[in-house]
Amino acid sequence: MIVRRSTGEIDKLRRVNQLVARILAQLRAMAVPGATTRELDAAAEAQVRAAGAEPAFKGYHGYPATLCTSVNEQVVHGIPSTRRFVQGDVLSIDMGAQLDGYFGDCAVTVPIGQVSSEAATLLRVTEEGLFRGIDAVKPGARVSDIGAAVQQHVEAHGFSVVREFVGHGIGTSLHEEPQIANYGPGGRGPRLSRGMVLAIEPMVNVGQAAVKVLSDGWTAVTRDGSLSAHFEHTVVVTDEGCEILTLLEADAARAQGLLDAAVRT
Ligand code: MF3
Ligand code: CO
């Protein structure tokens, strides 16, 4: 069953998702050569707790940190460490929080200093793919329309969509129904309706789609060692389409540009 949230619940979801987005924006500024993912993790945990919220990932099935920090060929669920960033890295920062019983979840992939043109294209196409998926969210659409839109865009640019990890409903738990694959035919699965809250999170590889999990039990990496990127927004279905709960006012114009581009093609 996919839960439909009331206006009051959506207010709480907006609050926690905005908190996560604000913290992510601050972490971005710390993602520079010489810094470590552990420093980002400590800052994230301090900020989430200062806001009266709690990390959502820490302790989840034993996950040890506030952030997932996935560098270069790491796809998702990278564990913060003392490795120092070097110019040219790409870093996925994924963060979840819980506030007043409701969950927020958001991820971005950022360049460390100047990156290769291939890396820059990967980041651009992955975020565009996420916005294609978001553009597919409206009452009456089917869950699988989201992944179909993501896959179409990503593969048109010669990249591949990771199959093993999916987006998810979110609300009073971090992971709720439905699962949201980032590939596959549209027109399948439950119909979306007002009040459903979805975390959409495509993972995209420069090379082949296949991934494996390292012996730490968490870190997923591309099998072929190629670069990978990951973007995530949490959205709520509205009468008109959807509202991006993790979108900051400062990024609204940029997001509108990405949505306009999704409509044009
Ligand atoms: N955004 C990811 C997800 O929703 C991160 C989960 S990390 C975990 O699956 F540690 F909580 F598993
Ligand atoms: Co998620």
Side-chain angles (χ1 to χ4, degrees):
M1 188 200 45
I2 307 176
V3 181
R4 298 174 63 193
R5 301 290 170 184
S6 67
T7 310
E9 290 182 291
I10 292 165
D11 284 343
K12 291 183 177 180
L13 283 158
R14 189 180 293 107
R15 243 201 309 145
V16 64
N17 277 287
Q18 286 284 305
L19 172 67
V20 171
R22 274 199 306 275
I23 294 173
L24 271 187
Q26 293 179 25
L27 297 175
R28 261 187 114 101
M30 297 176 64
V32 294
T36 70
T37 48
R38 191 168 286 172
E39 291 163 8
L40 270 63
D41 191 67
E45 180 165 359
Q47 288 186 44
V48 80
R49 293 197 191 280
E54 282 177 27
F57 301 165
K58 199 168 189 173
Y60 184 90
H61 294 283
Y63 186 75
T66 296
L67 302 178
C68 296
T69 51
S70 308
V71 180
N72 296 335
E73 79 288 354
Q74 298 178 350
V75 177
V76 282
H77 303 166
I79 299 171
S81 76
T82 55
R83 176 189 178 278
R84 293 190 185 283
F85 297 126
V86 295
Q87 162 126 287
D89 284 343
V90 301
L91 167 70
S92 157
I93 315 172
D94 187 354
M95 182 173 168
Q98 180 181 9
L99 179 65
D100 205 7
Y102 290 82
F103 283 82
D105 195 1
C106 188
V108 290
T109 303
V110 299
I112 305 294
Q114 187 77 29
V115 299
S116 69
S117 68
E118 184 175 62
T121 304
L122 173 68
L123 270 45
R124 177 177 64 77
V125 169
T126 307
E127 189 177 24
E128 287 171 355
L130 168 59
F131 276 84
R132 302 286 162 135
I134 291 171
D135 184 63
V137 176
K138 56 199 71 160
R142 301 286 194 110
V143 168
S144 82
D145 294 342
I146 298 169
V150 171
Q151 182 179 26
Q152 197 279 330
H153 184 71
V154 166
E155 293 184 353
H157 287 83
F159 297 140
S160 61
V161 171
V162 172
R163 303 321 202 235
E164 284 85 347
F165 302 98
V166 296
H168 49 96
I170 179 169
T172 50
S173 305
L174 176 62
H175 294 144
E176 300 184 357
E177 286 182 46
Q179 294 196 8
I180 307 168
N182 296 296
Y183 64 95
R188 310 230 174 133
R191 281 191 197 280
L192 301 178
S193 59
R194 185 168 92 167
M196 292 179 177
V197 181
L198 309 172
I200 305 173
E201 50 178 319
M203 290 135 273
V204 174
N205 302 344
V206 165
Q208 300 298 306
V211 305
K212 65 179 179 188
V213 175
L214 298 183
S215 60
D216 63 18
W218 284 103
T219 313
V221 299
T222 57
R223 279 194 179 266
D224 62 9
S226 67
L227 285 183
S228 187
H230 173 218
F231 283 83
E232 176 175 27
H233 274 306
T234 294
V235 309
V236 56
V237 182
T238 62
D239 285 331
E240 299 78 39
C242 69
E243 175 188 342
I244 306 174
L245 297 174
T246 41
L247 183 64
L248 297 177
E249 183 56 38
D251 297 326
R254 224 183 120 258
Q256 192 56 54
L258 286 159
L259 289 169
D260 291 346
V263 173
R264 281 199 303 273
T265 49

